[in-house]
């Protein structure tokens, strides 16, 4: 099997490499390719990956390259983890909306749209090369944010793709610790969209223990997702961390207006990590990586690839087409739910009817995602404005016009589809 990682110079890559040894029985990995366009990061991260693999006794071939065609040639799996524009673009995503009185976040609201507009065309270009040069039936696994919009775009253009986020596996690890049980005994059954999801069932050995979990650990859970315990009790579900941008919008906005952007903190962590990775004596991922975000990403990603490759049939939360899974959502909407994963792809497990207070927000944001994906692929400004107008964190006409102008100006270097006279 050949696995290509596009964005292999990411500081996440050592997480992936550390996960490979855990799945070596199911993964007959003969070739790992790390592709990145940034020479320094490619060589530094690739060097650490090489040391880690040799320590694991990896007998396959590691290749580090900036040649995309070479990377995906014959690849069975292509994992995409890129950040178009780097941390500077992320800082823009988190600060430009603040000037208009809107939440600044890289995957939610106006910042999420900006990221989608510059990311979707690049990912689609990569996917086209996979279609032309990858192995027959090659899978694209997307970890690039905004995952829901990127995955929708890939599927809309006919690619064999699945989206992946680390929120569910993070919950699983936390719940297992709270319950004092082994991680593999805990199953998180959530419903929603990427970065807009709610945990409705937490099963231990197949039995739902969510009520007991909330009773004993509700305060800790509420703090971890930044919401009031009373709200969680009233909803009867556990919202993901990203719901606090919606449920406590004014508080978060006030904090952001006086705080340090997360992008600045992450950029500093990344600089420290790259320096650590360059140490020739380092042969394992450093503890600092846990502060970068994306905890347990490697386990989720490698576990997903292993299930797809081996027809394992394990259940995992992924981003897939709805296709009737959630009543009230369009069939072609991309949802994030528990699915049974085999070599035929993820098969979403049946979902009970979704409560209106959850479904309404899902429908609202999914409509925005549909428009965002269209705008990113076409460069149509009217569609982009409609996307902002549709998003529940924005939703005002003068504001959507001002925001789009600012976002397109700030991201001009990475938005050729909008600055070449397309869309008007």
């Amino acid at each position: 099997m050949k696995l290509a990682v596009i964005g292999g110079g990411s500081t996440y890559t050592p997480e992936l490499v550390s996960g490979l040894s855990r799945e070596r029985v199911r993964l007959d990995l003969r070739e790992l390719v790390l592709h990145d366009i940034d020479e320094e990061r490619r060589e530094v991260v690739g060097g650490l990956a090489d040391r880690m693999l040799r320590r694991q006794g990896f007998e396959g071939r590691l290749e580090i390259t900036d040649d995309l065609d070479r990377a995906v040639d014959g690849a069975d799996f292509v994992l995409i983890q890129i950040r178009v524009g780097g941390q500077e673009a992320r800082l823009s995503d988190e600060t430009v909306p603040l000037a208009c009185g809107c939440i600044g976040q890289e995957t939610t609201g106006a910042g999420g749209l900006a990221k989608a507009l510059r990311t979707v065309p690049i990912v689609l270009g990569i996917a086209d090369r996979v279609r032309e040069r990858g192995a027959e039936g090659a899978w694209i696994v997307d970890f690039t944010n905004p995952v829901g919009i990127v995955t929708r775009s890939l599927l809309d253009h006919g690619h064999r793709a699945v989206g992946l986020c680390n929120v569910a596996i993070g919950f699983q690890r936390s719940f297992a610790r709270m319950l004092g049980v082994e991680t593999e005994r805990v199953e998180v059954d959530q419903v929603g969209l990427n970065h807009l999801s709610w945990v409705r069932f937490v099963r231990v050995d197949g039995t739902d223990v969510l009520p007991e979990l909330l009773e004993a650990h509700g305060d800790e859970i509420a703090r971890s997702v930044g919401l009031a315990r009373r709200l969680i009790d009233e909803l009867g579900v556990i919202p993901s961390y990203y719901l606090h941008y919606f449920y406590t919008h004014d508080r978060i906005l006030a904090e952001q207006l006086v705080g340090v952007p997360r992008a600045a903190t992450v950029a500093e962590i990344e600089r420290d990590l790259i320096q650590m990775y360059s140490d020739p004596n380092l042969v394992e991922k450093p503890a600092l990586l846990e502060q970068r975000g994306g905890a347990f990403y490697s386990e989720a990603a490698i576990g997903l690839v292993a299930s797809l490759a081996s027809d394992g049939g394990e259940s995992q939360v992924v981003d897939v087409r709805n296709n009737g899974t959630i009543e009230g959502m369009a069939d072609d909407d991309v949802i994030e739910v528990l699915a049974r994963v085999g070599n035929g792809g993820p098969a979403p497990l049946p979902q009970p009817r979704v409560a209106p207070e959850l479904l309404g927000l899902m429908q609202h944001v999914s409509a925005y995602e549909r428009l965002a994906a269209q705008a990113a692929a076409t460069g149509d400004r009217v569609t982009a404005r409609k996307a902002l107008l549709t998003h529940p964190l924005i939703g005002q006409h003068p504001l959507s016009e001002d925001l789009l102008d600012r976002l397109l100006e700030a991201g001009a270097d990475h938005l050729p589809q909008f600055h070449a006279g397309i869309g008007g």
Side-chain angles (χ1 to χ4, degrees):
M1 191 185 86
K2 176 178 178 179
L3 170 65
V5 181
I6 310 303
S10 167
T11 52
Y12 285 132
T13 297
E15 279 275 5
L16 272 177
V17 174
S18 69
L20 289 173
S21 62
R22 290 189 293 270
E23 293 286 359
R24 64 173 58 192
V25 173
R26 291 196 296 165
L27 285 178
D28 183 19
L29 187 63
R30 302 300 176 90
E31 186 174 0
L32 173 64
V33 182
L34 303 181
H35 170 276
D36 207 286
I37 60 175
D38 185 308
E39 181 178 4
E40 179 187 9
R41 294 177 71 101
R42 184 173 68 242
E43 297 304 321
V44 170
V45 176
L48 174 57
D50 180 56
R51 296 192 297 273
M52 292 176 68
L53 288 170
R54 283 190 278 112
R55 189 187 189 196
Q56 294 175 12
F58 177 60
E59 297 179 353
R61 178 170 176 251
L62 171 66
E63 182 171 359
I64 303 164
T65 182
D66 63 348
D67 186 330
L68 180 61
D69 284 353
R70 186 172 177 179
V72 303
D73 190 34
D76 301 282
F77 292 89
V78 177
L79 199 154
I80 303 178
Q81 53 175 30
I82 63 174
R83 180 179 292 279
V84 180
Q87 293 299 328
E88 289 185 7
R90 175 175 180 167
L91 183 62
S92 175
D93 296 343
E94 295 181 358
T95 54
V96 169
L98 292 177
C100 296
C102 293
I103 291 285
Q105 213 280 329
E106 67 158 342
T107 61
T108 297
L113 177 66
K115 185 172 176 60
L117 295 181
R118 65 176 181 271
T119 301
V120 165
I122 301 300
V123 171
L124 290 178
I126 294 168
D128 286 342
R129 304 311 295 159
V130 175
R131 176 183 281 154
E132 294 173 13
R133 304 186 68 93
E136 183 177 356
W139 276 100
I140 295 174
V141 177
D142 179 67
F143 190 67
T144 297
N145 281 319
V147 169
I149 297 173
V150 172
T151 302
R152 175 189 277 273
S153 299
L154 286 166
L155 295 173
D156 285 349
H157 286 79
H159 297 290
R160 198 179 196 209
V162 58
L164 180 66
C165 182
N166 72 313
V167 168
I169 195 172
F171 270 141
Q172 181 200 37
R173 295 322 194 249
S174 296
F175 297 158
R177 174 185 56 79
M178 294 175 190
L179 296 167
V181 301
E182 294 84 358
T183 300
E184 58 270 15
R185 294 175 57 193
V186 179
E187 180 181 73
V188 173
D189 193 342
Q190 69 180 49
V191 68
L193 313 178
N194 178 245
H195 288 185
L196 192 92
S197 59
W198 300 263
V199 176
R200 297 197 292 173
F201 305 96
V202 178
R203 302 185 185 93
V204 175
D205 300 332
T207 301
D208 183 33
V209 298
L210 180 59
E212 296 88 338
L213 181 66
L214 287 175
E215 177 66 26
H217 302 281
D219 290 341
E220 180 182 353
I221 292 170
R223 286 193 299 272
S224 72
V225 297
L227 294 170
R229 168 72 185 271
R230 178 179 175 181
L231 173 61
I232 293 176
D233 288 340
E234 289 180 351
L235 292 174
V237 297
I238 301 175
S240 78
Y241 168 84
Y242 293 90
L243 265 301
H244 82 310
Y245 293 111
F246 296 82
Y247 293 154
T248 61
H249 173 277
D250 292 354
R251 175 177 65 83
I252 297 300
L253 177 58
E255 292 174 356
Q256 288 187 343
L257 287 170
V258 298
V260 176
R262 170 66 177 165
T265 302
V266 170
E268 184 176 347
I269 293 172
E270 290 227 319
R271 284 191 293 269
D272 291 343
L273 284 171
I274 291 298
Q275 185 174 3
M276 290 180 180
Y277 291 178
S278 63
D279 180 356
N281 297 312
L282 184 68
V283 293
E284 60 185 6
K285 61 177 183 178
L288 180 63
L289 184 54
E290 297 177 7
Q291 298 179 32
R292 170 63 183 84
F296 310 115
Y297 158 50
S298 69
E299 294 183 46
I302 297 303
L304 176 58
V305 170
S307 292
L308 289 169
S310 66
D311 201 23
E314 291 86 2
S315 57
Q316 190 166 354
V317 173
V318 290
D319 291 81
V320 293
R321 290 284 200 207
N322 179 47
N323 287 332
T325 302
I326 299 174
E327 184 179 344
M329 300 294 289
D331 283 346
D332 66 341
D333 283 339
V334 169
I335 59 173
E336 190 168 280
V337 291
L338 191 66
R340 195 76 65 197
V341 183
N343 57 16
L349 299 182
Q351 290 287 331
R353 186 185 295 265
V354 177
E357 62 271 20
L358 312 184
L359 181 61
L361 189 52
M362 287 173 56
Q363 292 169 328
H364 202 162
V365 175
S366 188
Y368 149 77
E369 291 190 345
R370 181 185 299 275
L371 291 164
Q374 292 173 1
T378 63
D380 186 81
R381 293 174 183 243
V382 173
T383 305
R385 283 194 289 270
K386 287 180 180 178
L388 289 172
L389 190 64
T390 303
H391 200 290
L393 295 182
I394 303 158
Q396 299 179 64
H397 174 234
L399 178 58
S400 64
E401 286 192 316
D402 186 20
L403 260 175
L404 183 64
D405 288 344
R406 290 171 182 257
L407 294 174
L408 295 185
E409 181 181 359
D413 290 345
H414 304 288
L415 298 170
Q417 75 272 40
F418 286 93
H419 295 280
I422 301 175

